[in-house]
Amino acid sequence: MPLTPAQIPEFINAISAAINQHADEITELDQAIGDGDHLFNLQRGLEALQSHAAEIAALDWPAAWQKIGMTVMAAIGGASGSLYATLFIGLSKHGKDKPTDMRTFAEALQAAVAAVKQRGKADVGEKTMLDVWVPAAETLARAASSGKDLNAILDQVCAAADAGVESTRDMLATKGRASFLGERSKGHIDAGAKTAQLMIAAIARHIRQAA
Amino acid sequence: MPLTPAQIPEFINAISAAINQHADEITELDQAIGDGDHLFNLQRGLEALQSHAAEIAALDWPAAWQKIGMTVMAAIGGASGSLYATLFIGLSKHGKDKPTDMRTFAEALQAAVAAVKQRGKADVGEKTMLDVWVPAAETLARAASSGKDLNAILDQVCAAADAGVESTRDMLATKGRASFLGERSKGHIDAGAKTAQLMIAAIARHIRQAA
Amino acid sequence: MKKFIDSPGTLLDTSLQGFAKAHADIVEVRTQPNFVLRKQRKTGKVALISGGGSGHEPLHAGFVGYGMLDAACPGQVFTSPTPDQMLEAAAAVDGGAGVLFIVKNYAGDVMNFEMAAEMLDGPSATVLVDDDVSLPKDHPIGRRGVAGTTIVEKILGAAAEQGYDLAACKALGERVVRATASMGVALTSCTVPALGHPTFELGADEIEIGVGIHGERGRETGKLLSASEIVGRIAGHIQQELNPPSGQAVLLHVNGFGATPLLELHLVYELAWQYWRERGLNIQRSLVGNFTTSLDMAGCSLTLSLLDDEMLGLWDAPVNTAALRWGC
Amino acid sequence: MKKFIDSPGTLLDTSLQGFAKAHADIVEVRTQPNFVLRKQRKTGKVALISGGGSGHEPLHAGFVGYGMLDAACPGQVFTSPTPDQMLEAAAAVDGGAGVLFIVKNYAGDVMNFEMAAEMLDGPSATVLVDDDVSLPKDHPIGRRGVAGTTIVEKILGAAAEQGYDLAACKALGERVVRATASMGVALTSCTVPALGHPTFELGADEIEIGVGIHGERGRETGKLLSASEIVGRIAGHIQQELNPPSGQAVLLHVNGFGATPLLELHLVYELAWQYWRERGLNIQRSLVGNFTTSLDMAGCSLTLSLLDDEMLGLWDAPVNTAALRWGC
Ligand SMILES: Nc1ncnc2c1ncn2[C@@H]1O[C@H](COP(=O)(O)OP(=O)(O)O)[C@@H](O)[C@H]1O
Ligand SMILES: Nc1ncnc2c1ncn2[C@@H]1O[C@H](COP(=O)(O)OP(=O)(O)O)[C@@H](O)[C@H]1O
Ligand SMILES: [Mg+2]
Ligand SMILES: [Mg+2]
Ligand SMILES: [Mg+2]
Ligand SMILES: [Mg+2]
């Protein structure tokens, strides 16, 4: 059952539900070592996507990713806004003229995550969303190319995302606002890493249910 | 034992001690229905008087009262500053060319209190220092002209001052900052009435001890 | 209490020294007694002197300069200044055309300025500002002077600069006062440095309606309302007071009490603007910001001034002070 | 949370409408996407565009006008604006001589302005402001841009008005940034409207040293100090950073974070002035007030800019904006 952009509205709803369910936790995290707006930033982005969902659902994948990227770019702001815009525009660029199977998606995701690294001048180990997106994308690529079944792939990706979030707890932040706190940034997980993991988990859950 | 300006430094010290002893109470009162500065205003005035005390002690009564009036006028500010300046300048004016016995002082005080009324456009019953100064001055005049002994006079004046303070408790303030509160001004005694009573009591106590 | 101070006793004097240095092109500060005067003085012009307790900055010292005040007499925090300050200020700035005292209607201010006027040798007059409509018109000591003072001082400053004589300044001042009404709301109290704690406590869902500018309680403690409701409420009192005809030209002033962000003050301005536009007013001029403050109080007031052509022209005339500057 | 708002979601947009009306002689506000632009535009001049999260008012919208910015892009409270705002602003104010973005060094601001610059058709350049010396020079994402931004925007605004080209504006901007250092202290946190409670809690005897302008904690929580001690402490960091030679001409800026009264800011100015006079500096210009705020945070920062004759002349050049106005 290949995924199509027609399912995008459901994914947006699934992600929104997950984010809203963890609203207080997200805000507490971004407040502890950031500036407390991460939840609202994502919510603004998700609302904008929801209001364009029907339009997006009618596009092909590259056009859909592009539209998603431009939508969040204009709606979110902050660090996460430009990073997610970069991620989705990256998916659009790298998914063009390719079949939309899991392997090509995994490749596109890795390329898009590389673009995010470049945009953020960051990499794993700096206490950011990249500590989730990088291992998740790598795990997806590895699992997809090894021909595992869908559920196993999803389980592995989710596990990588979970581990990624947890890894940020004791890190010294060297990127993002948390880095201003120096040593005081330790002991809290990163809000952007947490929401990346929530998104990945929500999508995985939705795919499993739909399957 | 006629009082002379040489005793003024002792009176100032006695008043300062009384005010400082009731510092918190005074501030609480002026805060409840005023703006909380009455204590500091009086303290500034008393400090200024202390630093001019030796000079004042060397003057005759009218000159001493005048100097006291000008000193508090420049040091206190606020409503109480102009009112006490008016009181002391009034004592100076009305004490001129008269013997300095209790009766003439009592007359001068009544005239000075009348000047305060005029300055403040106020009278008894408006929840101000006049609720102490007016009955105290009247009682002094009555007692002094009836030829009572000094202790009896002092007792009566102090009793009038005490009753005056207490009378302000249930009054509706119609003058001073407390009047802005309307009905909310009821239930608190007036800070300026309280400090007037403290001054009168301190002077009476000092005269008794000196006698 | 958390404030930038070394001690409450030195705050005012040190701050005045800093003010003098930061605005050395416009003002001078004299001490013992304290007053602020403009650097460029002018003979033959009515000298405008105001003053009041400190803690309302930029009022009044921030309004000393070309086209506004000639001198300001700062008292201790929330305490009226003393007559000797006013007399020294008058001696320094009197340009031979008399002295006009602009006094906010508080017993302490009124009495101290009155004593100064009595002791002053030359001619003087006084304009009493009593724009606070949270008190009834027949209040026994009259209404308080609050944020409308800025408008009175600006318009009179321009008039004096243009050569109005003492009587004309006084008459104009009283006209502006009559045409001006204000009302304020506090979200928090403020902390007087010498006291060290807030003057009153407000619940987390309470506001104080109809406050003055000294951190004292208002006429009424109410439940927290939305900005629209608050504006409707206080604008309603002002509207009732001034009862302006449709089409009336007005100046709308939103004044912050010190701790309310500009973001909120501009929101309040927008809501007040809508309120009065719906009532047909012609909002010709505006002033939004912290001008008549109460130390660190959160809150704001609305002031409406009905403008005639003369007042409008004087409002627009050049002014060059620390806190208000345009046209020069 | 007690604020003048109807809802956190409408605060910014309504406030911008109020801002537009209150300063209709100077600015226009466009919506969807939001940006503020000056009314009188000029062709052949480098267009200066800044922006950032809201909550720092008057920065940046209050600096739009003659002699300073051409446009400002306000993001949500404490959230960087988005590239579409910058692109629309650029389209509206580009006078044919290119666009200079003035960006405070925060990841979100930097990345969003970078995306806009990438998407922009015409020539553009960026000046990054990173004046906060509470962070070490080698901080992995560089130092934050704080109150020095006002100085950079004023000087560049005058330069662009005088016809400096894009490369000259960029070079000058970077020179001003290098010559400028700031450091701030918070006495309280602030309350972001969408959050509804203070971002962090400070004890009654604690201060936060080395804070940015987003209500985030600083480098260090310390015990409450006297104003002299605080000034000595933060001025010391700035002094160490800039290490100015004796006799150096400087601009000294005391910036309030929003809830600190002018009385205290002028006291801080006096103490900072004494600090640097003792070190032989020639304090030629000053700016004291709330310019780069953090909503309702109590606190302030010191900024020192080493001035050369060119910078001094540009600082003095006429400016006519909502928040800074002189010489015109
Ligand atoms: N340079 C960066 N590279 C990657 N991720 C980053 C970077 N800077 C910040 N982030 C991520 O963005 C999150 C914060 O997003 P958000 O709160 O929406 O924006 P802001 O930091 O501008 O307030 C951080 O928790 C972190 O995961
Ligand atoms: N018009 C008046 N007539 C008489 N006494 C007054 C008047 N106004 C105020 N007072 C007295 O002055 C006291 C307040 O003095 P103070 O706090 O020093 O000055 P302020 O009211 O200016 O802050 C009041 O408690 C009251 O007793
Ligand atoms: Mg954030
Ligand atoms: Mg008082
Ligand atoms: Mg007082
Ligand atoms: Mg943010």
Side-chain angles (χ1 to χ4, degrees):
Chain A
M1 40 93 260
L3 296 169
T4 72
Q7 287 159 286
I8 286 175
E10 297 161 28
F11 286 123
I12 296 170
N13 291 339
I15 289 174
S16 291
I19 296 295
N20 291 337
Q21 208 184 320
H22 291 80
D24 291 348
E25 183 188 349
I26 297 167
T27 291
E28 270 163 39
L29 292 174
D30 194 37
Q31 248 185 295
I33 54 171
D35 60 351
D37 60 354
H38 186 55
L39 172 74
F40 311 119
N41 293 346
L42 291 191
Q43 286 178 331
R44 253 194 336 276
L46 287 161
E47 265 167 46
L49 288 176
Q50 261 154 345
S51 73
H52 289 96
E55 185 188 334
I56 293 168
L59 302 171
D60 64 13
W61 272 116
W65 289 128
Q66 176 70 18
K67 178 75 188 171
I68 291 173
M70 296 305 284
T71 303
V72 302
M73 188 190 84
I76 299 188
S80 55
S82 48
L83 294 169
Y84 277 109
T86 302
L87 185 80
F88 295 124
I89 294 170
L91 281 173
S92 165
K93 278 190 200 148
H94 297 281
K96 276 205 177 104
D97 313 316
K98 304 225 177 106
T100 54
D101 61 14
M102 189 58 92
R103 266 170 91 155
T104 46
F105 174 75
E107 271 167 34
L109 183 63
Q110 277 199 295
V113 169
V116 171
K117 284 189 193 179
Q118 218 180 337
R119 174 70 64 210
K121 297 191 185 61
D123 211 329
V124 283
E126 306 205 77
K127 203 176 184 111
T128 71
M129 60 170 74
L130 287 170
D131 290 308
V132 169
W133 282 112
V134 170
E138 279 171 3
T139 305
L140 179 67
R142 227 178 307 113
S145 67
S146 73
K148 293 231 165 86
D149 86 344
L150 184 63
N151 275 338
I153 294 176
L154 294 174
D155 286 349
Q156 286 185 19
V157 171
C158 285
D162 291 352
V165 181
E166 200 45 46
S167 75
T168 64
R169 186 182 303 276
D170 296 324
M171 282 180 189
L172 178 78
T174 49
K175 291 286 146 63
R177 286 176 190 284
S179 69
F180 299 138
L181 293 175
E183 287 292 327
R184 292 171 112 187
S185 67
K186 287 187 181 170
H188 303 267
I189 65 173
D190 173 63
K194 179 68 199 172
T195 55
Q197 178 264 324
L198 287 172
M199 291 182 215
I200 290 168
I203 291 173
R205 208 176 312 118
H206 191 78
I207 293 177
R208 277 199 208 98
Q209 282 166 1
Chain B
M1 40 94 258
L3 296 169
T4 73
Q7 287 159 285
I8 286 175
E10 297 161 28
F11 286 122
I12 297 171
N13 291 338
I15 289 174
S16 291
I19 296 294
N20 291 336
Q21 206 183 322
H22 291 79
D24 291 348
E25 184 188 348
I26 296 166
T27 291
E28 269 162 40
L29 292 175
D30 194 36
Q31 248 184 295
I33 54 170
D35 60 350
D37 60 353
H38 186 54
L39 172 73
F40 311 119
N41 293 347
L42 291 191
Q43 286 179 330
R44 255 196 331 278
L46 287 161
E47 265 167 44
L49 288 176
Q50 262 155 343
S51 73
H52 289 95
E55 185 188 334
I56 294 169
L59 301 171
D60 63 13
W61 274 116
W65 288 128
Q66 176 71 18
K67 177 76 190 171
I68 291 173
M70 296 306 284
T71 302
V72 302
M73 186 190 83
I76 299 187
S80 56
S82 48
L83 294 168
Y84 277 109
T86 302
L87 184 79
F88 295 124
I89 294 170
L91 281 172
S92 164
K93 275 188 202 150
H94 297 281
K96 274 199 179 109
D97 313 318
K98 301 217 179 120
T100 54
D101 61 15
M102 188 58 91
R103 267 169 91 152
T104 47
F105 174 75
E107 271 167 36
L109 183 64
Q110 278 199 294
V113 169
V116 171
K117 284 188 193 180
Q118 217 180 339
R119 175 71 63 209
K121 298 189 184 62
D123 210 327
V124 283
E126 306 205 75
K127 203 176 184 117
T128 70
M129 59 170 75
L130 286 169
D131 290 308
V132 169
W133 282 112
V134 170
E138 279 172 3
T139 305
L140 178 67
R142 227 179 308 113
S145 66
S146 71
K148 292 226 164 88
D149 86 344
L150 184 63
N151 276 338
I153 294 176
L154 294 174
D155 286 348
Q156 286 186 21
V157 171
C158 286
D162 292 350
V165 180
E166 200 44 46
S167 75
T168 65
R169 186 181 304 275
D170 296 322
M171 281 181 191
L172 177 78
T174 49
K175 291 286 145 64
R177 288 176 188 285
S179 70
F180 300 139
L181 293 175
E183 288 291 326
R184 292 171 112 186
S185 66
K186 287 186 180 171
H188 304 266
I189 66 173
D190 173 63
K194 178 68 198 171
T195 55
Q197 178 265 323
L198 287 171
M199 291 182 216
I200 291 168
I203 290 173
R205 207 176 312 118
H206 190 78
I207 294 176
R208 277 198 208 97
Q209 282 166 0
Chain C
M1 169 184 61
K2 292 200 279 188
K3 289 185 178 290
F4 294 100
I5 53 171
D6 285 341
S7 84
T10 59
L11 168 59
L12 176 61
D13 289 356
T14 311
S15 180
L16 280 174
Q17 292 309 313
F19 178 76
K21 293 191 176 90
H23 301 286
D25 49 330
I26 299 173
V27 299
E28 258 175 61
V29 171
R30 303 265 173 90
T31 55
Q32 290 179 318
N34 284 332
F35 63 99
V36 175
L37 72 166
R38 61 197 256 193
K39 229 162 195 168
Q40 250 92 53
R41 291 183 291 279
K42 204 164 156 178
T43 53
K45 170 190 163 303
V46 171
L48 300 191
I49 300 180
S50 191
S54 292
H56 307 302
E57 290 65 32
L59 184 84
H60 301 270
F63 297 149
V64 171
Y66 178 82
M68 217 161 162
L69 298 180
D70 292 279
C73 303
Q76 293 296 318
V77 171
F78 291 174
T79 299
S80 346
T82 56
D84 54 321
Q85 294 176 264
M86 300 149 195
L87 291 171
E88 292 287 339
V93 301
D94 188 346
V99 173
L100 185 73
F101 294 116
I102 303 175
V103 182
K104 302 194 296 304
N105 190 29
Y106 294 97
D109 290 9
V110 170
M111 294 191 279
N112 282 286
F113 272 100
E114 197 178 88
M115 292 184 85
E118 286 166 16
M119 291 191 254
L120 193 70
D121 277 336
S124 75
T126 297
V127 169
L128 207 62
V129 184
D130 59 353
D131 54 318
D132 179 9
V133 299
S134 70
L135 298 170
K137 214 171 198 152
D138 60 355
H139 185 77
I141 56 172
R143 290 164 160 173
R144 296 176 283 219
V146 290
T149 311
T150 303
I151 297 166
V152 176
E153 294 184 352
K154 168 66 188 81
I155 289 177
L156 281 182
E161 212 70 61
Q162 293 179 14
Y164 282 50
D165 70 14
L166 189 59
C169 282
K170 180 176 163 71
L172 173 66
E174 286 170 349
R175 190 148 57 86
V176 177
V177 170
R178 272 196 306 277
T180 299
S182 304
M183 186 158 165
V185 170
L187 304 188
T188 66
S189 181
C190 58
T191 298
V192 175
L195 277 178
H197 56 86
T199 307
F200 59 85
E201 290 297 339
L202 266 181
D205 60 344
E206 285 178 340
I207 60 177
E208 198 69 23
I209 301 164
V211 289
I213 54 173
H214 296 90
E216 67 275 48
R217 282 201 175 272
R219 287 291 286 186
E220 192 191 327
T221 305
K223 284 285 152 209
L224 181 58
L225 300 169
S226 72
S228 293
E229 289 166 320
I230 292 174
V231 167
R233 183 94 174 258
I234 62 180
H237 281 270
I238 293 170
Q239 175 70 8
Q240 205 174 355
E241 176 70 24
L242 294 176
N243 196 16
S246 176
Q248 169 72 50
V250 295
L251 162 63
L252 174 54
H253 174 26
V254 174
N255 174 59
F257 287 152
T260 287
L262 272 182
L263 201 62
E264 294 172 48
L265 296 182
H266 281 117
L267 174 111
V268 168
Y269 181 80
E270 172 67 17
L271 298 174
W273 191 93
Q274 284 170 6
Y275 177 94
W276 273 302
R277 270 308 278 269
E278 279 166 20
R279 281 154 189 83
L281 296 200
N282 177 7
I283 302 160
Q284 291 235 335
R285 293 294 181 273
S286 63
L287 185 69
V288 181
N290 294 292
F291 293 97
T292 303
T293 62
S294 297
L295 295 169
D296 55 351
M297 179 180 266
C300 73
S301 59
L302 294 180
T303 299
L304 196 73
S305 271
L306 312 187
L307 295 175
D308 56 33
D309 288 347
E310 181 184 7
M311 283 163 63
L312 184 62
L314 293 167
W315 176 260
D316 287 344
V319 60
N320 186 23
T321 68
L324 272 194
R325 197 176 300 165
W326 57 72
C328 62
Chain D
M1 168 184 59
K2 292 199 280 188
K3 289 186 180 288
F4 294 100
I5 53 171
D6 285 341
S7 83
T10 58
L11 169 59
L12 177 61
D13 289 356
T14 311
S15 180
L16 280 174
Q17 292 309 313
F19 178 76
K21 294 191 176 90
H23 301 286
D25 50 331
I26 299 175
V27 300
E28 259 175 62
V29 172
R30 304 263 174 92
T31 55
Q32 291 180 317
N34 284 333
F35 63 100
V36 175
L37 71 166
R38 61 197 256 193
K39 230 160 193 169
Q40 250 93 54
R41 292 184 290 279
K42 202 164 158 179
T43 53
K45 170 190 162 304
V46 172
L48 300 191
I49 300 180
S50 190
S54 292
H56 307 302
E57 291 66 30
L59 185 86
H60 299 271
F63 298 148
V64 171
Y66 177 82
M68 216 161 162
L69 299 180
D70 293 279
C73 303
Q76 292 297 316
V77 171
F78 292 175
T79 299
S80 344
T82 56
D84 55 320
Q85 294 175 266
M86 300 149 195
L87 291 170
E88 292 287 339
V93 301
D94 188 347
V99 173
L100 186 72
F101 293 117
I102 304 175
V103 182
K104 302 193 297 302
N105 190 31
Y106 295 96
D109 289 9
V110 170
M111 294 191 280
N112 281 286
F113 272 101
E114 197 178 89
M115 293 184 84
E118 286 166 16
M119 291 190 255
L120 194 68
D121 278 335
S124 76
T126 297
V127 169
L128 207 64
V129 184
D130 59 353
D131 53 317
D132 179 8
V133 300
S134 70
L135 298 170
K137 214 171 198 152
D138 60 355
H139 184 77
I141 56 172
R143 289 163 160 174
R144 296 177 283 220
V146 290
T149 311
T150 302
I151 297 165
V152 176
E153 294 184 352
K154 169 65 187 83
I155 289 178
L156 281 182
E161 212 69 62
Q162 292 179 12
Y164 283 49
D165 70 15
L166 188 59
C169 282
K170 181 176 162 73
L172 172 66
E174 286 169 351
R175 190 146 60 85
V176 177
V177 170
R178 272 195 307 277
T180 300
S182 303
M183 187 157 165
V185 170
L187 304 187
T188 66
S189 181
C190 59
T191 298
V192 175
L195 279 178
H197 55 86
T199 306
F200 60 86
E201 289 296 339
L202 266 181
D205 60 345
E206 285 178 340
I207 59 176
E208 198 67 24
I209 301 164
V211 288
I213 53 173
H214 296 90
E216 67 274 49
R217 281 201 175 271
R219 288 291 286 186
E220 191 190 331
T221 305
K223 284 285 151 210
L224 181 58
L225 300 169
S226 72
S228 293
E229 289 166 320
I230 292 174
V231 167
R233 183 95 176 256
I234 61 180
H237 281 271
I238 293 170
Q239 174 70 9
Q240 206 175 355
E241 175 70 25
L242 294 176
N243 196 16
S246 177
Q248 169 72 50
V250 295
L251 162 63
L252 174 54
H253 174 25
V254 174
N255 174 59
F257 287 151
T260 288
L262 272 181
L263 201 62
E264 294 173 45
L265 296 182
H266 282 116
L267 175 112
V268 168
Y269 180 81
E270 172 67 17
L271 298 174
W273 191 92
Q274 284 170 5
Y275 177 95
W276 273 302
R277 270 307 279 269
E278 278 165 19
R279 280 150 189 86
L281 296 200
N282 177 7
I283 301 160
Q284 291 236 334
R285 294 293 181 272
S286 64
L287 185 68
V288 181
N290 294 292
F291 293 98
T292 304
T293 62
S294 297
L295 294 169
D296 55 351
M297 179 180 265
C300 73
S301 59
L302 294 181
T303 299
L304 197 72
S305 272
L306 312 188
L307 294 175
D308 56 33
D309 288 346
E310 182 185 7
M311 283 162 63
L312 184 62
L314 293 166
W315 176 259
D316 286 345
V319 60
N320 187 22
T321 69
L324 273 193
R325 197 176 300 165
W326 57 71
C328 61

